[in-house]
Amino acid sequence: ISALLEISKLLNTGLDAETLATCVRLCENGVNPEALVLVIQELRRETAAVRVSLPLHCCIIGGVHRFTR
């Protein structure tokens, strides 16, 4: 999987080692790779939309301003 991880990084997929390994296992077990890509893209879009819609909160922790959603 290390060679695949390096290729994944070169292609700037944004997949970490655990996610990439899960994707490989899914494909080995018959999941259509193109369908898997579509699902990952949709999950990323949904995650981004949720992040944008959440209010930004500011709190002070140990004298340092922290911004959280």
Side-chain angles (χ1 to χ4, degrees):
I1 207 80
S2 63
L4 284 176
L5 185 58
E6 288 304 314
I7 292 169
S8 175
K9 288 179 182 179
L10 289 172
L11 294 174
N12 212 16
T13 64
L15 299 175
D16 61 24
E18 183 180 355
T19 304
L20 182 61
T22 300
C23 290
V24 169
R25 281 193 303 277
L26 287 168
C27 291
E28 288 174 343
N29 286 305
V31 171
N32 181 323
E34 292 169 359
L36 184 56
V37 167
L38 294 175
V39 169
I40 291 170
Q41 289 173 339
E42 182 63 22
L43 288 171
R44 286 180 175 170
R45 274 192 294 275
E46 291 293 324
T47 301
V50 168
R51 284 189 182 137
V52 168
S53 68
L54 290 175
L56 188 63
H57 300 285
C58 174
C59 59
I60 301 174
I61 300 174
V64 177
H65 284 83
R66 304 271 184 204
F67 295 93
T68 60
R69 293 198 183 271

